Amino acid sequence: MSTYESPDTTSDVISLADEERVKQVLVNSILDLWDVVNNLTRLRPSRSQRYRVTIFGSARVEAGTCAYEETKRLAAALAEMGCDIITGGGPGLMQAANEGAAVFPEHAQSVGIRVDLPFEQEVNAFVTQAFEHRTFFTRLHQFVLASNAFIVAPGGIGTVLETMMIWQLLQVRHLQDTPLILVGKMWPGLVEWARNSMLSVDPPLANVADMTIPHCVTDADAAIALIRGHHKTWLAAQNT
């Protein structure tokens, strides 16, 4: 990744007044740090101790609404099953998922991975383990590293961003054997748009198989059933 060039051995001291060379040193150092991060993230435990499900969803949905209560019920069912619940740690459907996980603290952890935003509240009260990020990029990277499955509840632009990133990582096999489950009636339209727009041109902009990566389901019960099956397979693999 790095474009680092060997320093001039006749003069390896760079004056701060030399703005161009100072900027090049900073750029090369940042790229080298990314190389270190990329190498470290290649390391994986031989066995995962916990099965973790990330639930993405809107920060704007209020408690008591159908979407909030369904998301809470979904998370509670998964927590009872022994699945840790990970969210963005904020309000709305993120809080609903953490609240559901908190119903079974003896079975599951309730995790929040937040990003610093000037207009969003602090971590919600149902998070028992919190992480803070300054950028969306590092936050999304932690979601990917931490999760065995992804569930997408109704959401806006941020939720779509998260969904498309996971979809793309599954497409190029940077993620494998990781369910991406889209819950609710808003998501089939997104997948249909991708299918119609990307496959109808010549040459196609995606493969037919790419459109089968997200599993669109109508309600929480269908999502629970899919996770139950995947979790059972994961448990069997841990015991071999």
Side-chain angles (χ1 to χ4, degrees):
M1 176 190 292
S2 174
T3 59
Y4 180 76
E5 299 176 0
S6 300
D8 183 352
T9 56
T10 61
S11 177
D12 59 357
V13 175
I14 298 174
S15 169
L16 293 178
D18 188 345
E19 291 189 7
E20 286 304 314
R21 293 189 70 193
V22 167
K23 285 193 291 186
Q24 190 60 52
V25 167
L26 290 172
V27 168
N28 288 338
S29 297
I30 291 169
L31 291 174
D32 285 343
L33 284 173
W34 275 113
D35 279 338
V36 172
V37 170
N38 288 336
N39 274 325
L40 289 174
T41 55
R42 292 166 58 198
L43 303 176
R44 293 288 191 278
S46 57
R47 291 179 182 273
S48 177
Q49 298 299 312
R50 308 187 70 87
Y51 185 95
R52 293 188 153 183
V53 180
T54 286
I55 299 178
F56 296 131
S58 173
R60 303 187 182 197
V61 178
E62 296 183 357
T65 60
C66 180
Y68 189 101
E69 297 305 318
E70 275 291 278
T71 302
K72 182 171 70 173
R73 183 174 72 85
L74 165 64
L78 298 182
E80 186 178 21
M81 196 188 304
C83 305
D84 292 343
I85 301 299
I86 302 174
T87 76
L93 297 186
M94 293 176 280
Q95 177 174 304
N98 289 125
E99 185 176 353
V103 174
F104 296 99
E106 69 279 11
H107 293 162
Q109 295 177 350
S110 180
V111 182
I113 304 177
R114 280 187 39 76
V115 66
D116 184 26
L117 293 174
F119 53 82
E120 197 164 286
Q121 302 170 11
E122 295 300 315
V123 64
N124 70 68
F126 300 98
V127 169
T128 56
Q129 184 180 21
F131 299 90
E132 297 279 343
H133 289 266
R134 290 184 181 273
T135 70
F136 281 101
F137 309 108
T138 58
R139 180 202 198 200
L140 290 169
H141 198 187
Q142 186 174 0
F143 281 129
V144 170
L145 293 176
S147 306
N148 299 94
F150 295 89
I151 294 177
V152 184
I157 293 172
T159 304
V160 171
L161 167 67
E162 293 157 345
T163 302
M164 299 304 283
M165 185 196 70
I166 301 303
W167 189 349
Q168 198 265 339
L169 291 176
L170 287 164
Q171 178 203 30
V172 299
R173 299 184 180 276
H174 282 198
L175 278 176
Q176 298 188 57
D177 189 30
T178 306
L180 173 60
I181 303 167
L182 315 185
V183 183
K185 60 185 179 181
M186 71 174 288
W187 299 117
L190 176 66
V191 177
E192 192 61 25
W193 166 82
R195 180 182 291 108
N196 292 337
S197 300
M198 298 178 190
L199 300 183
S200 62
V201 295
D202 187 18
L205 304 178
N207 295 326
V208 173
D210 297 335
M211 302 302 143
T212 66
I213 291 172
H215 302 278
C216 291
V217 300
T218 56
D219 55 29
D221 291 323
I224 293 165
L226 288 173
I227 293 295
R228 191 182 304 279
H230 191 258
H231 182 243
K232 183 178 179 180
T233 302
W234 177 86
L235 284 174
Q238 301 305 301
N239 295 325
T240 57

